[in-house]
Amino acid sequence: MEFDTIAAISTFPGEAGIGIVRISGEDALEILSRIFRPFKKKDIKAVKSHTIHYGHIVDPETGEVYDEVLVTVMKKPHTYTREDVVEINCHGGIVVTSKILELVLRNGARLAEPGEFTKRAFLNGRIDLSQAEAVIDIITSKTMLANRYAQKQLAGVLGQKMRELRDKIMGLLSHLLALIDFPEENVEELEKSEIKKRAEEILKDIEKLIDASESGRIIREGLKTAIIGKPNVGKSSLLNALLRQERAIVTDIPGTTRDVIEEYMSIKGIPIKLIDTAGIRHTDELVEKIGVEKSKEVLAEADLILFVLDSSRELSKEDYEIFDIISGKNVIYVLNKIDLPKKIDETELKNLVGNGIIVEVSTIKGLGLDRLETEIYNLVFKGRVSAGEEDIITNARHKEALMNAKKYMESVLEAIEKGFSEDLITIDVNGALEEIGKITGETATEDVINQIFERFCIGK
Ligand SMILES: Nc1nc2c(ncn2[C@@H]2O[C@H](COP(=O)(O)OP(=O)(O)OP(=O)(O)O)[C@@H](O)[C@H]2O)c(=O)[nH]1
Ligand SMILES: [Mg+2]
């Protein structure tokens, strides 16, 4: 494909050691030759690909020297975008980088849109859509584990998986077409059972990928962990202790926290989104009341609840009410303030908790926090994250496409069961094929593609 020449600052806009202005497209070298004066006399357009050159960036109209730079010349096709790419490594700094960019734009380039370099890599066929999405995931990774999955996706592991799935669906399709074309009695039964077998296998593959996607979301976005409890039990103290930072206000006044506070931490590489909430109780005070409502919303959406109880006091009506609203959720019971004499009735507590996990802590003394972290880790890893670590779907868009493909395959099987005609079945098989193609981008619409690249930063 042929595009115009684009340019952008690819480094973080701020004071830094170096800044990079990147240019990509047919005119990249021509533009460079107008504004770059190499220290060793040479024709910059004729240099070898993937070489670095030392010199000045000079305004050709005024002769003003903008900066002393190193210029990387990368000629197509072995470049990020598959076009000619030039990177001007100048001094980092808002003025010098934006002045050089301005000069580049004045000499024939257009300002790149967010993600446009990567979009070209996709449109020029160097990477598939899932690999382009991996680039954003790498940039926004919150832990090394998330980065590891994104790197795999960038390497094309997911795309490969999708191509295998597509091949299987194509195989199924050709069997169906054979039946339509040669509807002879004797082949029919044999073919039909073959078709059914293949359809079932495809459905199973898709289901396996969907199952692993919940873990994928956790790896990307973090395990939503809500700290819940009545006022003054030490929820904010627990947040601070786990973060090892005085993030939330702690006082001995019940009802201190009114708003939802979110922070990230990592337990052995799993990103945890810790959410401190207002203590849940009945109140007429307006601000606190809104806070309590928010706590309940957070509770409903959380992957995991840390239900904090005060061991230095007896269980109260407020605690009981919280036991009611958390039923059915993933809960770890955190028995706080164990540095104080115990007043809580442990038999009563054990009855309420059943075989749930109780962890005793003192946020003030820093006791029990390691065990709490281990329990959180075990809960996540024992259950879901460990399953199918190999091919994990971390992206909601991919999951949606797989869910749709699953629906199509289910109706394929239903249609086979009911003895519908082959051409009817073919429609659903094609539907599944199209959904799988959305993941790698073969059948993704322009809108979807644009939405994906809008999430990028400028210069990538
Ligand atoms: N002795 C003791 N006191 C604690 C411990 N953890 C918290 N506290 C105290 O308990 C009081 C309440 O702590 P917070 O962390 O503000 O409690 P909270 O649950 O966030 O309270 P609200 O925001 O009002 O719902 C403060 O005075 C803390 O110092 C602990 O482990 N031991
Ligand atoms: Mg609080």
Side-chain angles (χ1 to χ4, degrees):
M1 281 194 208
E2 284 288 314
F3 298 105
D4 54 353
T5 299
I6 52 173
I9 299 168
S10 282
T11 39
F12 190 74
E15 287 174 19
I18 55 169
I20 297 177
V21 175
R22 187 193 252 171
I23 316 169
S24 175
E26 209 54 36
D27 298 332
L29 285 161
E30 173 61 33
I31 293 168
L32 182 68
S33 72
R34 284 183 213 149
I35 63 169
F36 179 61
R37 194 196 292 152
F39 286 159
K40 269 195 197 144
K41 216 169 147 31
K42 60 184 138 190
D43 177 6
I44 195 70
K45 286 194 275 184
V47 298
K48 271 209 273 183
S49 182
H50 292 76
T51 50
I52 298 176
H53 309 272
Y54 180 38
H56 277 143
I57 294 292
V58 180
D59 185 337
E61 282 164 35
T62 63
E64 184 183 353
V65 172
Y66 280 20
D67 198 8
E68 189 180 304
V69 298
L70 282 174
V71 165
T72 313
V73 173
M74 291 166 279
K75 295 185 179 176
K76 68 181 177 189
H78 298 295
T79 66
Y80 189 73
T81 55
R82 279 219 172 146
E83 303 169 336
D84 286 344
V85 172
V86 166
E87 286 179 1
I88 302 170
N89 292 250
C90 56
H91 289 98
I94 302 164
V95 173
V96 71
T97 48
S98 46
K99 275 292 169 193
I100 291 174
L101 175 64
E102 246 178 69
L103 200 58
V104 168
L105 299 181
R106 233 191 298 141
N107 281 276
R110 165 174 69 74
L111 184 64
E113 287 162 21
E116 200 171 359
F117 294 97
T118 311
K119 189 177 184 177
R120 288 199 175 178
F122 165 64
L123 293 175
N124 288 326
R126 189 178 68 80
I127 55 173
D128 69 32
L129 201 54
S130 71
Q131 288 172 301
E133 288 170 303
V135 173
I136 325 180
D137 290 350
I138 289 167
I139 295 172
T140 58
S141 278
K142 293 186 180 68
T143 68
M144 202 49 208
L145 189 64
N147 178 54
R148 206 181 300 148
Y149 282 110
Q151 292 289 350
K152 264 195 197 167
Q153 193 173 316
L154 179 65
V157 174
L158 183 66
Q160 181 54 35
K161 194 95 202 156
M162 290 306 120
R163 278 184 286 278
E164 282 165 25
L165 201 52
R166 188 190 58 193
D167 289 349
K168 281 188 185 174
I169 301 176
M170 297 283 262
L172 173 64
L173 209 53
S174 65
H175 275 263
L176 280 164
L177 293 175
L179 264 192
I180 296 170
D181 292 344
F182 312 102
E184 282 139 42
E185 284 298 319
N186 50 348
V187 285
E188 190 142 314
E189 274 319 301
L190 201 82
E191 275 296 298
K192 270 197 176 147
S193 73
E194 175 67 23
I195 285 172
K196 187 163 173 240
K197 205 186 91 202
R198 284 177 181 248
E200 280 168 348
E201 198 184 312
I202 293 163
L203 181 62
K204 218 187 279 161
D205 282 359
I206 295 173
E207 280 172 343
K208 237 171 65 191
L209 286 163
I210 293 173
D211 281 349
S213 68
E214 189 57 12
S215 336
R217 181 183 65 75
I218 290 170
I219 285 165
R220 234 167 73 110
E221 294 169 15
L223 182 82
K224 270 190 233 154
T225 306
I227 306 176
I228 302 282
K230 70 179 177 189
N232 218 38
V233 290
K235 296 181 295 300
S236 301
S237 306
L238 181 64
L239 176 91
N240 292 345
L242 287 171
L243 293 175
R244 293 166 181 84
Q245 169 197 337
E246 296 305 308
R247 173 67 180 81
I249 299 171
V250 167
T251 73
D252 54 6
I253 307 160
T256 299
T257 307
R258 264 79 188 302
D259 221 335
V260 173
I261 300 174
E262 298 182 346
E263 281 294 331
Y264 279 95
M265 67 176 288
S266 146
I267 299 180
K268 298 184 204 173
I270 305 179
I272 309 281
K273 188 186 197 179
L274 265 186
I275 312 166
D276 182 24
T277 62
I280 296 176
R281 67 169 167 187
H282 295 287
T283 170
D284 289 329
E285 209 269 318
L286 183 66
V287 180
E288 194 183 350
K289 205 170 175 158
I290 297 171
V292 172
E293 283 311 312
K294 276 199 180 169
S295 302
K296 289 180 180 166
E297 281 167 27
V298 169
L299 193 153
E301 283 173 15
D303 297 312
L304 172 65
I305 286 166
L306 302 180
F307 179 9
V308 183
L309 295 143
D310 184 343
S311 66
S312 69
R313 288 167 188 274
E314 287 170 12
L315 283 166
S316 70
K317 194 169 139 253
E318 286 158 341
D319 293 314
Y320 275 99
E321 285 181 6
I322 298 171
F323 270 104
D324 279 344
I325 53 178
I326 59 166
S327 75
K329 307 245 18 162
N330 265 332
V331 183
I332 292 177
Y333 302 88
V334 182
L335 202 51
N336 188 29
K337 309 196 188 181
I338 53 152
D339 52 293
L340 300 174
K342 230 183 219 172
K343 284 239 184 79
I344 198 165
D345 183 337
E346 283 185 278
T347 1
E348 198 183 344
L349 180 67
K350 287 247 163 66
N351 274 337
L352 284 163
V353 168
N355 44 22
I357 306 160
I358 303 176
V359 181
E360 299 196 344
V361 304
S362 161
T363 64
I364 280 192
K365 295 259 158 73
L367 299 171
L369 297 170
D370 284 349
R371 180 162 168 239
L372 179 58
E373 288 192 9
T374 308
E375 292 292 354
I376 295 172
Y377 179 85
N378 287 347
L379 207 78
V380 180
F381 253 83
K382 247 195 274 161
R384 302 171 303 201
V385 170
S386 58
E389 245 201 82
E390 273 312 296
D391 23 74
I392 264 180
I393 300 290
T394 57
N395 184 305
R397 190 184 73 81
H398 301 169
K399 185 179 179 184
E400 194 190 319
L402 285 168
M403 299 281 272
N404 292 338
K406 181 184 167 192
K407 273 188 216 137
Y408 279 119
M409 289 315 295
E410 279 167 351
S411 58
V412 165
L413 279 164
E414 197 188 317
I416 293 172
E417 216 55 61
K418 290 189 174 152
F420 288 169
S421 74
E422 283 75 30
D423 34 352
L424 265 181
I425 301 174
T426 306
I427 295 174
D428 282 335
V429 176
N430 271 318
L433 201 58
E434 195 176 319
E435 292 298 328
I436 298 300
K438 283 182 187 171
I439 295 175
T440 46
E442 282 144 55
T443 54
T445 62
E446 207 177 316
D447 276 357
V448 168
I449 292 170
N450 287 340
Q451 271 171 28
I452 288 169
F453 289 102
E454 274 162 19
R455 292 174 43 221
F456 273 74
C457 39
I458 285 203
K460 188 63 218 177

PDB file of all heavy atoms in Angstrom, residues 109 158 171 179 304 328 405 407:
ATOM      1  N   ALA A 109       6.344  16.300   5.743  1.00  0.00           N
ATOM      2  CA  ALA A 109       5.663  15.197   6.425  1.00  0.00           C
ATOM      3  C   ALA A 109       4.348  15.703   7.027  1.00  0.00           C
ATOM      4  O   ALA A 109       4.128  16.897   7.160  1.00  0.00           O
ATOM      5  CB  ALA A 109       6.542  14.618   7.520  1.00  0.00           C
ATOM      6  N   LEU A 158      -0.741 -15.876  19.456  1.00  0.00           N
ATOM      7  CA  LEU A 158      -2.197 -15.889  19.360  1.00  0.00           C
ATOM      8  C   LEU A 158      -2.650 -15.980  17.903  1.00  0.00           C
ATOM      9  O   LEU A 158      -3.554 -16.748  17.559  1.00  0.00           O
ATOM     10  CB  LEU A 158      -2.780 -14.635  20.017  1.00  0.00           C
ATOM     11  CG  LEU A 158      -4.302 -14.564  20.034  1.00  0.00           C
ATOM     12  CD1 LEU A 158      -4.893 -15.652  20.896  1.00  0.00           C
ATOM     13  CD2 LEU A 158      -4.775 -13.203  20.513  1.00  0.00           C
ATOM     14  N   GLY A 171     -11.519 -26.762   7.055  1.00  0.00           N
ATOM     15  CA  GLY A 171     -11.613 -28.203   6.813  1.00  0.00           C
ATOM     16  C   GLY A 171     -13.054 -28.681   6.923  1.00  0.00           C
ATOM     17  O   GLY A 171     -13.548 -29.425   6.073  1.00  0.00           O
ATOM     18  N   LEU A 179     -20.537 -32.507   0.639  1.00  0.00           N
ATOM     19  CA  LEU A 179     -21.865 -33.103   0.792  1.00  0.00           C
ATOM     20  C   LEU A 179     -22.906 -32.409  -0.078  1.00  0.00           C
ATOM     21  O   LEU A 179     -23.807 -33.040  -0.619  1.00  0.00           O
ATOM     22  CB  LEU A 179     -22.315 -33.015   2.252  1.00  0.00           C
ATOM     23  CG  LEU A 179     -22.082 -34.242   3.120  1.00  0.00           C
ATOM     24  CD1 LEU A 179     -22.838 -34.084   4.424  1.00  0.00           C
ATOM     25  CD2 LEU A 179     -22.506 -35.517   2.420  1.00  0.00           C
ATOM     26  N   LEU A 304     -12.458 -10.316  44.178  1.00  0.00           N
ATOM     27  CA  LEU A 304     -12.123 -10.848  45.496  1.00  0.00           C
ATOM     28  C   LEU A 304     -12.465  -9.803  46.542  1.00  0.00           C
ATOM     29  O   LEU A 304     -12.267  -8.609  46.325  1.00  0.00           O
ATOM     30  CB  LEU A 304     -10.617 -11.172  45.556  1.00  0.00           C
ATOM     31  CG  LEU A 304     -10.050 -11.554  46.927  1.00  0.00           C
ATOM     32  CD1 LEU A 304     -10.640 -12.862  47.421  1.00  0.00           C
ATOM     33  CD2 LEU A 304      -8.528 -11.656  46.879  1.00  0.00           C
ATOM     34  N   GLY A 328     -21.782 -15.675  48.404  1.00  0.00           N
ATOM     35  CA  GLY A 328     -21.612 -16.065  47.005  1.00  0.00           C
ATOM     36  C   GLY A 328     -20.384 -15.462  46.359  1.00  0.00           C
ATOM     37  O   GLY A 328     -20.085 -15.733  45.201  1.00  0.00           O
ATOM     38  N   ALA A 405     -18.108 -16.802  18.065  1.00  0.00           N
ATOM     39  CA  ALA A 405     -17.752 -18.005  17.304  1.00  0.00           C
ATOM     40  C   ALA A 405     -18.327 -19.242  17.983  1.00  0.00           C
ATOM     41  O   ALA A 405     -18.806 -20.169  17.327  1.00  0.00           O
ATOM     42  CB  ALA A 405     -16.232 -18.113  17.191  1.00  0.00           C
ATOM     43  N   LYS A 407     -21.059 -19.392  19.789  1.00  0.00           N
ATOM     44  CA  LYS A 407     -22.496 -19.454  19.498  1.00  0.00           C
ATOM     45  C   LYS A 407     -22.745 -20.053  18.117  1.00  0.00           C
ATOM     46  O   LYS A 407     -23.617 -20.893  17.939  1.00  0.00           O
ATOM     47  CB  LYS A 407     -23.106 -18.051  19.574  1.00  0.00           C
ATOM     48  CG  LYS A 407     -23.541 -17.692  20.970  1.00  0.00           C
ATOM     49  CD  LYS A 407     -24.322 -16.375  20.968  1.00  0.00           C
ATOM     50  CE  LYS A 407     -24.019 -15.570  22.213  1.00  0.00           C
ATOM     51  NZ  LYS A 407     -23.813 -14.141  21.965  1.00  0.00           N
TER      52      LYS A 407
END
